[in-house]
Amino acid sequence: MKKTLSAKLMTLVVMLLAQASAFADNEKYFPEVHADGSVTFTIMAPDAKKVEVWGDFAEIKLEKLDMQKDEKGLWSVTSKPLAPEMYSYRFTVDGVETLGRDNAYRVRDGARYKDMVIVSHEKGDKGWLYGVHQVKHGNVSKVWYDSPTLQRTRRMTVYTPAAYDGKRRFPVLYLLHGFGGDENAWSELGRATQILDNLIAEGKAEPMIVVMPNGNPTCDAAPGEWGAGMYQPDGNAFVNNKPRATMEESFMDIVNFVDAHYKTIRKREGRAVTGLSMGGGHTLNISLLYPTTFDYYGLMSAAPKLDNQFVTKGYAEYIHSDKTFGERVARLQASKPRLFWIGIGKEDWLLQTNNDLRHYFDEKGFPYEYYENDGGHLWRNWRIYLTLFAQKIFKP
Amino acid sequence: MKKTLSAKLMTLVVMLLAQASAFADNEKYFPEVHADGSVTFTIMAPDAKKVEVWGDFAEIKLEKLDMQKDEKGLWSVTSKPLAPEMYSYRFTVDGVETLGRDNAYRVRDGARYKDMVIVSHEKGDKGWLYGVHQVKHGNVSKVWYDSPTLQRTRRMTVYTPAAYDGKRRFPVLYLLHGFGGDENAWSELGRATQILDNLIAEGKAEPMIVVMPNGNPTCDAAPGEWGAGMYQPDGNAFVNNKPRATMEESFMDIVNFVDAHYKTIRKREGRAVTGLSMGGGHTLNISLLYPTTFDYYGLMSAAPKLDNQFVTKGYAEYIHSDKTFGERVARLQASKPRLFWIGIGKEDWLLQTNNDLRHYFDEKGFPYEYYENDGGHLWRNWRIYLTLFAQKIFKP
């Protein structure tokens, strides 16, 4: 019997799938996003007694949804309608945390992976900004550079906008991760590539290069991506080893490399720096160390002092009494940066520390922009802050 | 009471970990590789009745290891001593497939993720080649290019060797994925970056650019990385949609882009092409369509005919009877490529088809190198073939 071409192809498909086992058995396993923003989560577990899905569906903490089993053993639950957002979740099957079998979209946060799903209601909303659309895309590179200060060869992530052609010069945003993160954090968890692609395509942000370095000066790169091999990430790399210099002290190695290897605007008005948590602390220190190198600064849920006394208590006393700090703030103020931006959530555990910093700036008459929103010390907020900050910088 | 610096830092660490929940509770969760190559897998599941770990520990098929529970509910099993290799595995907890909670090393194969662990006994062995070591690293970029033939803007992965400085010219290896794969397959599942970094560092392969394009001409990029959004990968994208042109017909768009944007050796002796399965078929067709463009060809477990009749049956008759095929092979033969390499496993379901092709070449006196090893149609073999092929090309 002569098979049709499509029947033959189907035979091949079946054979290949049997070989590879790489594809989904059933489309329904994938989280299904409904028109109202509710999401149906499903997982096959015929023998399980209790299945839940935990996700960051609430503003501040993880939320648990109990799932129901059907006669085939497929557990499912549909969430309430969710606002536009990128959500992450994990299943718990009889107490064991597990990822869905067939969600191809997954992100690493430190040592842990989470499944992710994006809810978007309309073009331009947060979910849309974090998605991949039919727009011109920038390139993303993992780039090794020499750091003379740290005496290491280290890795950074570099986004070049779609318009980057090796001729025209572009401004550079230096985008810093937090404690336990690495040079992959902003491009993966942070959706920085998508946010920039979409904002630039919409004409809301200027085309810019975005440099996402590794902020742990005792590491060369993300776990498993450098000579230390495939170790268990524990976030303590920079605590347990004394680096040759701090992130901030070695920061000009990064700027110099980028200026030497990319078509950049090599002036203050072509440079911005922002970071989250520990990276917000790095940003503050960078503003104080190199007051005329950057014109735009962004502190996102910043941990403004990184050595000692940097939890809430004692920070106000420190900044009011430390002579060097005062002199450096005065020097930064005199240099008149175009933007000093501070963003933090009402439930962030670093809110008081940031308030202390703002009050100090107020006393000194140092101008800054302040943005406060709901929520805590979470990626959800850092993506919002990147979206806002990116629209404020490099405007003609 | 005045805390020491390190006690203060520990307080911070605990607070940050509580916030982020991103790190491992217990180092033992990570697979532990012992000196003899055996691996201990552990997973906490106090309420589970049956826990197994499935992995590609055997040459051909998945192997299952039954796990034992201790009094705390931690299940574990130690494998037999394993040969140097990158292994992938998943747990099954009461019948539900799950990934380990705390393995940070994970790869996507189509729609599915697998945990991975590398076993290496000594420097230079397979496991070592697939690991990340203290050697000079090449950069890896996700690059968008215009394909005039397909009328699409598409994405490729580009590896530039550590010595790439924008001045010296390098040869280019075009490295093609199989059915269901995409431009991320070779750099993730295939460990191409590590293999090339390590072979080059050892002086076993010449420094070269490696271009890993997307071989599905109805897609722009990997699932979730282009305008189609975050869809469920099913491997059928190229089957269900008719492309404007085939991969092979549009292939010179890729070569032209690479030659225009990188410092390449723009001659036949500076170009090699190889691919696995469907990509092996692409490679054969590229050799027949552009017989003087490339000097080195590699067929890895090749599916040598991609439209119809390309399963084992009927292939010998086709190549012996198709006039165009015969003419093109004769033209390729007359052009005298430096290397035509064929590699396949004894248990590969495409072995007969490859034998048919080899017998045809033998009849015509077309010289090729042949490598046959154990195992089937699996990434384990394709990594071996890349390792071998990369050492045979571009030698002075």
Side-chain angles (χ1 to χ4, degrees):
Chain A
M1 194 180 92
K2 196 176 180 322
K3 281 188 181 175
T4 61
L5 169 58
S6 101
K8 281 174 191 159
L9 282 169
M10 277 316 296
T11 307
L12 170 81
V13 168
V14 170
M15 289 184 68
L16 285 165
L17 291 192
Q19 289 273 343
S21 286
F23 296 103
D25 294 328
N26 185 332
E27 272 186 36
K28 283 195 70 184
Y29 286 14
F30 193 71
E32 207 179 340
V33 182
H34 306 288
D36 65 353
S38 62
V39 180
T40 300
F41 299 93
T42 49
I43 187 166
M44 182 64 81
D47 298 329
K49 289 188 290 282
K50 188 175 176 61
V51 180
E52 304 150 324
V53 58
W54 289 83
D56 53 358
F57 315 126
E59 281 291 323
I60 309 167
K61 57 184 196 335
L62 290 183
E63 191 174 9
K64 181 188 78 170
L65 305 175
D66 287 313
M67 303 181 77
Q68 303 300 322
K69 183 159 86 163
D70 74 5
E71 66 285 353
K72 289 177 185 157
L74 187 73
W75 294 76
S76 64
V77 66
T78 298
S79 74
K80 65 179 189 295
L82 296 172
E85 185 53 75
M86 171 173 137
Y87 296 95
S88 61
Y89 64 95
R90 296 182 71 122
F91 295 102
T92 305
V93 178
D94 287 339
V96 179
E97 269 195 25
T98 183
L99 295 165
R101 180 167 172 178
D102 295 322
N103 187 351
Y105 304 103
R106 203 151 274 183
V107 283
R108 182 173 64 81
D109 185 4
R112 296 259 170 86
Y113 281 79
K114 301 166 182 174
D115 279 320
M116 62 184 249
V117 60
I118 290 179
V119 173
S120 170
H121 294 167
E122 59 187 4
K123 188 174 175 180
D125 69 22
K126 261 197 289 176
W128 186 89
L129 276 175
Y130 307 158
V132 180
H133 304 290
Q134 202 76 41
V135 299
K136 288 200 180 291
H137 301 297
N139 293 340
V140 178
S141 300
K142 302 293 172 183
V143 175
W144 292 87
Y145 71 100
D146 284 323
S147 170
T149 308
L150 296 173
Q151 296 182 30
R152 287 174 168 273
T153 302
R154 309 183 74 236
R155 200 170 87 145
M156 56 172 79
T157 301
V158 180
Y159 167 90
T160 49
Y164 189 85
D165 59 2
K167 290 171 201 137
R168 181 176 150 198
R169 292 186 176 274
F170 289 89
V172 184
L173 169 61
Y174 294 88
L175 182 58
L176 313 182
H177 63 78
F179 180 86
D182 52 59
E183 76 278 14
N184 296 339
W186 266 111
S187 59
E188 294 176 10
L189 278 162
R191 305 295 282 179
T193 308
Q194 290 74 31
I195 292 171
L196 268 292
D197 272 359
N198 292 326
L199 287 178
I200 293 169
E202 295 278 287
K204 291 181 176 165
E206 294 299 306
M208 63 184 87
I209 298 167
V210 184
V211 173
M212 295 158 264
N214 184 302
N216 310 305
T218 57
C219 300
D220 296 344
E225 302 278 5
W226 60 293
M230 294 167 71
Y231 55 90
Q232 178 75 323
D234 68 358
N236 286 313
F238 92 98
V239 176
N240 295 335
N241 293 305
K242 189 166 160 46
R244 232 169 237 286
T246 64
M247 168 67 173
E248 301 91 318
E249 287 162 354
S250 63
F251 196 70
M252 289 310 292
D253 292 350
I254 294 168
V255 177
N256 291 336
F257 175 88
V258 170
D259 277 345
H261 289 82
Y262 291 86
K263 284 281 178 186
T264 58
I265 295 170
R266 288 164 206 179
K267 293 187 284 199
R268 186 181 192 188
E269 57 263 41
R271 296 197 194 101
V273 55
T274 185
L276 72 92
S277 193
M278 176 180 86
H282 290 155
T283 300
L284 174 62
N285 288 338
I286 286 165
S287 78
L288 301 179
L289 281 177
Y290 318 108
T292 57
T293 305
F294 306 87
D295 232 346
Y296 306 89
Y297 303 98
L299 271 55
M300 308 176 172
S301 308
K305 188 141 178 26
L306 298 165
D307 45 359
N308 60 359
Q309 297 177 308
F310 62 110
V311 286
T312 305
K313 235 174 129 179
Y315 186 64
E317 296 91 295
Y318 161 73
I319 53 181
H320 281 90
S321 63
D322 189 271
K323 201 171 149 234
T324 307
F325 183 84
E327 286 168 1
R328 287 180 174 173
V329 170
R331 188 173 66 164
L332 175 68
Q333 186 171 355
S335 83
K336 295 192 178 166
R338 291 193 194 197
L339 177 66
F340 198 102
W341 187 92
I342 297 172
I344 194 160
K346 287 188 179 71
E347 284 81 23
D348 198 304
W349 59 281
L350 284 163
L351 182 64
Q352 183 57 50
T353 315
N354 278 260
N355 284 343
D356 292 343
L357 181 64
R358 289 198 299 117
H359 296 155
Y360 180 89
F361 285 170
D362 291 340
E363 284 169 29
K364 304 294 174 189
F366 177 62
Y368 59 88
E369 277 190 31
Y370 182 58
Y371 177 80
E372 188 177 285
N373 64 343
D374 289 332
H377 206 71
L378 295 170
W379 273 101
R380 169 190 308 226
N381 272 350
W382 304 326
R383 289 187 291 262
I384 293 172
Y385 303 154
L386 173 61
T387 303
L388 295 173
F389 188 73
Q391 296 181 68
K392 290 178 175 291
I393 57 180
F394 308 136
K395 294 288 184 186
Chain B
M1 195 180 89
K2 196 176 183 320
K3 280 189 184 178
T4 62
L5 170 57
S6 100
K8 281 173 187 158
L9 281 168
M10 277 317 298
T11 308
L12 169 81
V13 168
V14 170
M15 289 185 67
L16 283 166
L17 292 190
Q19 289 274 344
S21 288
F23 296 103
D25 294 326
N26 185 332
E27 271 186 36
K28 284 196 68 185
Y29 285 12
F30 191 72
E32 207 179 339
V33 182
H34 306 289
D36 66 352
S38 62
V39 180
T40 300
F41 300 93
T42 48
I43 188 167
M44 183 62 83
D47 298 331
K49 290 187 291 280
K50 190 177 175 57
V51 180
E52 304 149 323
V53 57
W54 290 81
D56 52 359
F57 314 126
E59 281 290 323
I60 307 165
K61 57 184 194 337
L62 290 184
E63 192 175 5
K64 180 187 80 171
L65 306 175
D66 287 314
M67 303 181 78
Q68 304 299 322
K69 184 159 85 163
D70 74 6
E71 67 284 355
K72 288 179 185 155
L74 186 73
W75 295 74
S76 65
V77 66
T78 298
S79 73
K80 66 179 187 298
L82 296 172
E85 184 55 76
M86 170 174 138
Y87 297 95
S88 62
Y89 64 94
R90 296 183 71 121
F91 295 101
T92 306
V93 179
D94 288 339
V96 180
E97 269 194 26
T98 181
L99 296 166
R101 178 166 172 179
D102 294 322
N103 187 351
Y105 304 103
R106 202 151 275 183
V107 283
R108 182 174 62 83
D109 185 5
R112 295 256 172 88
Y113 281 79
K114 300 166 183 173
D115 278 319
M116 64 185 247
V117 60
I118 290 179
V119 173
S120 171
H121 294 167
E122 58 187 4
K123 187 173 176 182
D125 69 20
K126 260 195 291 175
W128 186 88
L129 276 174
Y130 307 158
V132 180
H133 305 291
Q134 203 75 39
V135 299
K136 287 200 179 293
H137 301 297
N139 293 340
V140 177
S141 301
K142 303 293 174 184
V143 175
W144 290 88
Y145 72 100
D146 284 324
S147 171
T149 309
L150 295 174
Q151 296 182 29
R152 286 172 170 275
T153 301
R154 308 184 74 236
R155 200 171 86 145
M156 56 172 79
T157 301
V158 180
Y159 167 90
T160 49
Y164 189 86
D165 60 1
K167 291 170 200 137
R168 181 175 152 201
R169 292 187 175 273
F170 289 89
V172 184
L173 169 61
Y174 293 87
L175 183 57
L176 314 181
H177 65 78
F179 181 87
D182 52 60
E183 76 278 13
N184 296 339
W186 267 112
S187 59
E188 294 177 11
L189 277 162
R191 304 295 281 178
T193 307
Q194 289 74 29
I195 292 172
L196 268 292
D197 272 359
N198 292 326
L199 288 178
I200 293 168
E202 294 279 285
K204 291 180 175 166
E206 295 297 309
M208 63 184 86
I209 298 166
V210 184
V211 173
M212 295 159 264
N214 185 303
N216 310 305
T218 56
C219 299
D220 295 344
E225 301 279 4
W226 60 292
M230 294 168 71
Y231 55 89
Q232 177 76 322
D234 68 358
N236 286 314
F238 91 100
V239 176
N240 295 337
N241 293 304
K242 192 168 160 39
R244 232 168 236 284
T246 64
M247 168 67 173
E248 302 91 317
E249 288 162 353
S250 61
F251 195 70
M252 290 309 293
D253 292 349
I254 294 168
V255 177
N256 292 337
F257 175 88
V258 170
D259 278 345
H261 289 82
Y262 292 86
K263 284 281 178 184
T264 58
I265 295 171
R266 286 163 207 181
K267 294 187 285 201
R268 189 183 190 188
E269 58 263 37
R271 295 196 195 104
V273 56
T274 185
L276 72 92
S277 194
M278 177 180 86
H282 290 155
T283 301
L284 175 62
N285 288 339
I286 287 164
S287 79
L288 301 177
L289 282 176
Y290 318 106
T292 58
T293 304
F294 306 87
D295 231 346
Y296 306 88
Y297 302 98
L299 272 56
M300 309 175 171
S301 309
K305 190 144 178 22
L306 299 165
D307 47 355
N308 60 1
Q309 297 175 311
F310 63 109
V311 285
T312 305
K313 237 174 127 181
Y315 185 65
E317 298 91 294
Y318 162 73
I319 54 182
H320 281 90
S321 64
D322 188 273
K323 203 171 149 235
T324 306
F325 182 83
E327 286 169 359
R328 288 180 174 173
V329 170
R331 188 174 64 164
L332 175 66
Q333 187 171 354
S335 83
K336 296 193 178 164
R338 290 191 195 196
L339 178 65
F340 198 102
W341 188 91
I342 298 173
I344 194 161
K346 288 187 178 72
E347 284 80 23
D348 197 304
W349 59 281
L350 285 162
L351 183 64
Q352 184 56 50
T353 315
N354 279 261
N355 284 343
D356 292 344
L357 181 65
R358 289 198 301 117
H359 296 155
Y360 180 88
F361 285 170
D362 291 339
E363 283 169 30
K364 303 295 175 190
F366 177 63
Y368 60 88
E369 276 189 33
Y370 182 58
Y371 177 78
E372 190 177 284
N373 63 343
D374 289 332
H377 205 72
L378 296 170
W379 273 101
R380 170 188 308 224
N381 272 349
W382 304 325
R383 288 187 290 262
I384 293 171
Y385 302 155
L386 172 60
T387 304
L388 295 173
F389 187 74
Q391 295 181 69
K392 290 178 175 290
I393 58 180
F394 309 135
K395 294 287 182 185

